[in-house]
Amino acid sequence: MEGDKRPDKLRVAVLGCGSVGSQVVRLLQEQSGDLAARVGVPVELAGVAVRRLDAPREVEVPADLLTTDATGLVTRDDVDLVVEVIGGIEPARSLILAALENGASVVSANKALLAEDGPTLFEAAEKAGRDLYYEAAVAGAIPILRPLRESLAGDRVTRVLGIVNGTTNFILDKMDTSGAGFAEALEEAQELGYAEADPTADVEGFDAAAKAAILASLAFHSRVTASDVHREGISEVTAADVQSARDMGAVVKLLAICELRADDRGEEAVAVRVHPAMIPRSHPLASVREAYNAVFVESEAAGQLMFYGPGAGGSPTASAVLGDLVTVARNRLARTRGAGESAYADRAVLPMGETRTRYHVAIDVDDRAGVLATVAAAFAEHGVSIQTVRQEGRDDDAQLVVVSHEATDAQLSATVEHLRGMDIVREVTSTMRVEGEQE
Amino acid sequence: MEGDKRPDKLRVAVLGCGSVGSQVVRLLQEQSGDLAARVGVPVELAGVAVRRLDAPREVEVPADLLTTDATGLVTRDDVDLVVEVIGGIEPARSLILAALENGASVVSANKALLAEDGPTLFEAAEKAGRDLYYEAAVAGAIPILRPLRESLAGDRVTRVLGIVNGTTNFILDKMDTSGAGFAEALEEAQELGYAEADPTADVEGFDAAAKAAILASLAFHSRVTASDVHREGISEVTAADVQSARDMGAVVKLLAICELRADDRGEEAVAVRVHPAMIPRSHPLASVREAYNAVFVESEAAGQLMFYGPGAGGSPTASAVLGDLVTVARNRLARTRGAGESAYADRAVLPMGETRTRYHVAIDVDDRAGVLATVAAAFAEHGVSIQTVRQEGRDDDAQLVVVSHEATDAQLSATVEHLRGMDIVREVTSTMRVEGEQE
């Protein structure tokens, strides 16, 4: 790029040749004609870094393109573009930094790294004057980062609600349609390949939290990292919770929620969290079935938008990688770079206790006169207003199902603690947040 | 842009101050701080071209910014960016061409012009080295053109199914939920402001056909104009058609359909059409209610994606215009331009008769033995294979509902003609295409 001559081709190094990397290599080979036409010059594979040269692969890679020396590959003089699909923090971070320093443009699918240490990478890209694109890091094939970065750049995004983890959506959907419990649904997901043998990263919400941090950063032009995200997984969701949601015309989903909210001084802050929540069946996200992903965006001028598609898988993720690759390649030929990090708004992250949410609380109580009034008083004592309450008698006890109006999460959890200590309360059988309705 | 100095601000001329233009002006004023931060320099309003200076407007525009001399405005030396939201062919086309020739970058929401004469505009933009962006021309606020142009640039799009006209979706949704006929539903749409007094452009599919041409051009990297689009509106859709769709678990939608198909020599061609069609209720497009829009995209690597949101309205459309404006402004500061027209694939457009579709045909027949065999023979004679047939006896006549497999549209319409001429056929009560299912 420093020379005057427009290059007659661009050369790509691919780091990692697992389920995504092998599909990237396949598409680079199969679509080479279209890619050349769309970029302006041919895009050639310069090399593929792997851990073991003799590992079985989904795609045939010429032996002379395979290498175990990833650092050597990304610092080669003839590499213009680097695709990082290794995942994890190291060595991915060092390789991306080395690639940028060497003058390459980078496309990454690495949500964990972007969410933990994005600013380090963005600053390195800025300093090098090169692109760092990462559409594939959130919601697989679904174009969502580019719409947030570019299409909505003239609007004011106020909320993002995302189903961004396919494993948990498959499990919750199974629980909803079959009445199965969590353990049974997880087992089925594992049998079908939707969940890993160790499902922790998915079911405990770590994967979704990384994506929430990335979405919140882009939506609100502020730095948000994974450690800023309040995170609860779905392993405590019971068949009774799912049934209780059904009873109120709702469905349980694991949501990544990013909101613009006023803090207690009235300043705009970012509230970002991942937890299971009940949403009305009429909400567009409610119809997202099986392992599909979707991201619902609310903005002041555009209103409500939704982006839907496959959130994972080698081939869909590779589609997102290749889309970025075409853009950074075009930018390179034009001797320019796309918009870098946008963190000018520099908004604070609201602590979870101050975040305003709504609760659905199911309570087994003694079936005697005045019980509803006593429970309602407990909500009132903590400043929580009740939206609806449903009472069902069952032999000598009764169940109350309360849905609150918005209150701070701290007020709501204090209310639940209070309820648990009351004589007339036998058990708080379910507490879950409620999302997706206008107050 | 010819000088060496980076400009310290960019100036925008807005052509038209109707429902979209007034919202563009409002957002430019209200979001000026955010726009400056996102673009890099302030974006100022240079002027607003209107037909009448004293017309009532939704937004307050300083009197010295209003002008009736649109040509004078777009050729001013200090105008960097031009937003065209007048609509229609002329004077919009001449103004855009003048703006580009004068060195301005252009953002347009003009679907009719882009679909009729896009190539003239693209060539002018190419020659001037300036941007022409038009996200707002299709599906209002929904980011769909940018995903097709950029996010899916490394993939191979094979089909686009869009609900891209809010008026007709509102009418069909009303017919589906209330059992109303077309005339009654149209009247309600008019009362609620979803349909114009003269609803022809919407209900006869002209609006959707323009958008289909734009979508097909981008999806298949080929020039497709409005005149290439086979177009049928919804004014012939009856309450009986809608009921018949319900009976088979489907819903009637006006679809813009763009497909990559082999022509009779086996070459890839573009099939593009707008017509009412039955789609299964399980299809993601089936749940698009009221005046919302959605575009469903199938591509080889990404699989199935859907983009959903408000397809019209001043404020949503202005959001899309402003998103483009931020991009073209950034490009201008970087002394570059985004990707221009991509028509390298240069695929032919398949005549409607050769396009492969499926038909749903409801036939009133004499209720006598052998009638089904006779009707089936008529389908077979034209080479049309039947997928399902349902027979319902009613007094002395019977109704047959036939759903065909895919055949050319010519074969299917010949079959229907044949049926109409048969003695045992009293009436072909409904014919409608069936979409959204895998064969």
Side-chain angles (χ1 to χ4, degrees):
Chain A
M1 258 166 93
E2 273 65 33
D4 281 334
K5 228 176 92 236
R6 178 183 159 108
D8 56 5
K9 63 183 171 192
L10 290 172
R11 291 171 60 84
V12 191
V14 178
L15 310 182
C17 201
S19 66
V20 178
S22 59
Q23 295 307 311
V24 169
V25 169
R26 179 181 68 80
L27 289 174
L28 280 170
Q29 292 169 342
E30 288 180 10
Q31 311 266 32
S32 61
D34 283 312
L35 290 171
R38 295 173 193 179
V39 168
V41 300
V43 179
E44 281 181 8
L45 193 59
V48 181
V50 294
R51 260 185 303 190
R52 283 179 43 209
L53 294 175
D54 59 350
R57 278 176 248 293
E58 290 171 31
V59 67
E60 214 168 301
V61 185
D64 61 335
L65 292 183
L66 283 176
T67 175
T68 55
D69 178 13
T71 308
L73 179 61
V74 300
T75 53
R76 260 168 56 179
D77 280 350
D78 63 340
V79 167
D80 305 293
L81 311 165
V82 170
V83 170
E84 183 273 305
V85 284
I86 304 174
I89 306 301
E90 285 294 348
R93 174 169 48 199
S94 300
L95 290 169
I96 290 175
L97 293 174
L100 290 167
E101 202 175 326
N102 191 49
S105 308
V106 175
V107 175
S108 170
N110 195 327
K111 60 202 165 244
L113 176 56
L114 266 303
E116 179 171 307
D117 201 14
T120 299
L121 305 180
F122 302 141
E123 283 163 15
E126 179 78 31
K127 190 172 159 216
R130 293 297 184 263
D131 277 327
L132 169 64
Y133 274 56
Y134 49 98
E135 178 68 72
V138 179
I142 308 172
I144 178 61
L145 303 192
R146 196 183 294 261
L148 282 175
R149 283 167 69 148
E150 301 178 25
S151 307
L152 289 163
D155 203 339
R156 191 176 132 85
V157 175
T158 51
R159 188 190 292 186
V160 178
L161 289 183
I163 294 174
V164 292
N165 180 273
T167 305
T168 48
N169 201 58
F170 181 89
I171 293 170
L172 292 171
D173 185 39
K174 188 55 59 181
M175 291 172 73
D176 179 53
T177 51
S178 74
F182 170 77
E184 189 188 333
L186 169 61
E187 199 174 318
E188 184 172 347
Q190 286 171 321
E191 277 164 17
L192 293 171
Y194 287 120
E196 299 186 33
D198 175 359
T200 312
D202 293 315
V203 302
E204 296 305 342
F206 291 97
D207 174 83
K211 293 164 177 170
I214 295 170
L215 289 169
S217 301
L218 291 171
F220 306 129
H221 301 270
S222 299
R223 287 185 170 176
V224 179
T225 64
S227 60
D228 294 321
V229 182
H230 174 86
R231 177 191 50 75
E232 297 169 33
I234 65 162
S235 56
E236 310 285 308
V237 176
T238 64
D241 292 332
V242 171
Q243 183 57 47
S244 200
R246 288 194 82 84
D247 292 343
M248 58 181 266
V251 60
V252 177
K253 295 289 187 187
L254 182 70
L255 296 182
I257 302 169
C258 316
E259 291 174 316
L260 210 52
R261 289 283 192 160
D263 67 13
D264 47 18
R265 299 189 318 276
E267 299 281 323
E268 272 182 353
V270 175
V272 54
R273 58 195 195 271
V274 167
H275 56 66
M278 296 180 182
I279 57 170
R281 285 192 186 264
S282 58
H283 192 285
L285 286 176
S287 55
V288 177
R289 302 287 311 277
E290 303 187 331
Y292 274 86
N293 279 198
V295 181
F296 189 79
V297 178
E298 294 180 23
S299 73
E300 283 191 356
Q304 302 186 322
L305 302 171
M306 191 170 81
F307 304 80
Y308 164 96
S315 171
T317 308
S319 168
V321 167
L322 269 281
D324 277 353
L325 198 68
V326 168
T327 299
V328 306
R330 283 173 178 166
N331 286 346
R332 209 169 166 90
L333 289 180
R335 294 164 191 253
T336 185
R337 61 191 290 257
E341 184 189 20
S342 177
Y344 71 91
D346 198 21
R347 294 183 172 109
V349 175
L350 210 57
M352 188 60 189
E354 290 177 33
T355 297
R356 295 178 71 80
T357 63
R358 297 170 61 209
Y359 266 38
H360 168 280
V361 188
I363 318 161
D364 279 351
V365 291
D366 293 346
D367 192 7
R368 60 181 195 225
V371 72
L372 176 54
T374 312
V375 164
F379 277 81
E381 194 179 320
H382 296 277
V384 177
S385 162
I386 291 174
Q387 186 189 43
T388 61
V389 58
R390 202 175 69 231
Q391 183 164 201
E392 277 169 24
R394 292 195 303 213
D395 302 328
D396 63 335
D397 67 358
Q399 190 181 50
L400 292 181
V401 176
V402 178
V403 178
S404 76
H405 279 296
E406 264 197 0
T408 66
D409 206 73
Q411 289 173 309
L412 287 158
S413 38
T415 307
V416 171
E417 272 318 293
H418 185 159
L419 292 170
R420 290 208 160 101
M422 288 167 72
D423 283 348
I424 54 157
V425 171
R426 299 190 183 174
E427 194 186 352
V428 177
T429 51
S430 159
T431 66
M432 194 174 290
R433 296 190 187 82
V434 177
E435 301 285 343
E437 278 175 8
Q438 299 306 319
E439 273 281 288
Chain B
M1 257 166 96
E2 273 64 37
D4 281 335
K5 229 176 91 233
R6 178 185 159 104
D8 56 5
K9 64 183 172 194
L10 291 172
R11 290 169 61 81
V12 191
V14 178
L15 310 182
C17 200
S19 65
V20 178
S22 59
Q23 295 306 312
V24 169
V25 169
R26 179 180 69 80
L27 289 174
L28 281 170
Q29 292 168 343
E30 288 180 10
Q31 312 265 32
S32 61
D34 283 312
L35 290 172
R38 294 172 193 179
V39 168
V41 299
V43 180
E44 281 180 10
L45 192 60
V48 181
V50 294
R51 259 183 303 189
R52 282 180 42 208
L53 293 175
D54 60 349
R57 279 176 246 292
E58 290 170 32
V59 68
E60 215 168 300
V61 185
D64 61 334
L65 293 183
L66 284 176
T67 175
T68 55
D69 178 12
T71 306
L73 179 61
V74 301
T75 53
R76 261 168 56 180
D77 280 349
D78 64 339
V79 166
D80 306 292
L81 311 164
V82 170
V83 170
E84 183 274 305
V85 284
I86 303 174
I89 306 302
E90 285 294 348
R93 175 169 48 200
S94 301
L95 291 168
I96 290 175
L97 293 174
L100 290 167
E101 201 176 325
N102 191 47
S105 308
V106 175
V107 175
S108 170
N110 194 328
K111 61 204 165 242
L113 175 56
L114 266 303
E116 180 170 309
D117 201 15
T120 300
L121 305 179
F122 302 141
E123 283 163 14
E126 179 80 32
K127 190 172 159 217
R130 292 296 184 265
D131 277 328
L132 169 64
Y133 274 58
Y134 49 97
E135 178 68 72
V138 179
I142 307 173
I144 177 61
L145 303 194
R146 195 184 295 261
L148 283 175
R149 283 167 69 148
E150 302 180 23
S151 307
L152 290 164
D155 204 339
R156 192 177 133 84
V157 175
T158 51
R159 185 190 294 187
V160 178
L161 289 183
I163 295 174
V164 292
N165 181 273
T167 305
T168 47
N169 201 58
F170 181 90
I171 292 170
L172 292 171
D173 185 39
K174 188 57 59 182
M175 291 172 73
D176 180 52
T177 52
S178 74
F182 170 76
E184 189 188 334
L186 169 61
E187 199 174 318
E188 184 172 346
Q190 286 171 321
E191 276 164 19
L192 293 170
Y194 288 119
E196 298 185 35
D198 175 0
T200 311
D202 293 314
V203 303
E204 297 305 343
F206 291 97
D207 174 83
K211 293 163 177 171
I214 295 171
L215 289 170
S217 302
L218 291 171
F220 306 129
H221 301 271
S222 299
R223 287 185 170 176
V224 179
T225 63
S227 60
D228 293 321
V229 182
H230 173 85
R231 179 192 50 75
E232 297 170 33
I234 65 162
S235 56
E236 310 285 309
V237 176
T238 63
D241 292 332
V242 171
Q243 183 57 48
S244 198
R246 288 194 82 84
D247 292 344
M248 59 181 266
V251 60
V252 178
K253 295 289 187 189
L254 181 69
L255 296 181
I257 302 169
C258 316
E259 292 174 316
L260 208 55
R261 290 280 192 163
D263 67 13
D264 48 17
R265 298 189 317 276
E267 299 281 321
E268 271 183 352
V270 175
V272 54
R273 58 195 195 270
V274 167
H275 56 66
M278 296 181 182
I279 56 170
R281 285 192 185 263
S282 58
H283 193 285
L285 286 176
S287 55
V288 177
R289 302 287 310 277
E290 302 187 332
Y292 274 87
N293 279 198
V295 182
F296 188 80
V297 178
E298 294 180 22
S299 74
E300 283 191 355
Q304 301 186 324
L305 302 172
M306 191 173 79
F307 304 79
Y308 165 94
S315 171
T317 308
S319 168
V321 167
L322 269 281
D324 278 354
L325 198 66
V326 168
T327 299
V328 306
R330 283 173 177 165
N331 285 347
R332 208 167 167 91
L333 289 180
R335 293 162 189 255
T336 184
R337 59 190 292 257
E341 184 190 20
S342 177
Y344 71 90
D346 198 20
R347 296 183 171 108
V349 175
L350 210 57
M352 187 61 190
E354 291 178 31
T355 297
R356 294 179 72 79
T357 64
R358 298 170 60 210
Y359 266 36
H360 167 281
V361 188
I363 317 158
D364 279 351
V365 291
D366 293 346
D367 191 8
R368 59 181 197 226
V371 71
L372 176 54
T374 313
V375 165
F379 278 81
E381 193 179 323
H382 296 276
V384 178
S385 163
I386 291 175
Q387 186 189 42
T388 62
V389 58
R390 203 175 68 232
Q391 183 163 202
E392 278 169 25
R394 292 191 307 211
D395 303 327
D396 64 334
D397 67 357
Q399 190 182 48
L400 292 182
V401 176
V402 178
V403 178
S404 76
H405 279 296
E406 264 197 0
T408 67
D409 206 74
Q411 289 174 308
L412 287 159
S413 38
T415 307
V416 172
E417 273 316 294
H418 184 160
L419 292 171
R420 289 209 161 100
M422 289 166 73
D423 282 348
I424 54 157
V425 170
R426 300 191 180 174
E427 194 185 353
V428 176
T429 52
S430 159
T431 65
M432 193 174 291
R433 295 188 188 84
V434 177
E435 300 285 344
E437 276 173 9
Q438 298 307 320
E439 274 282 287

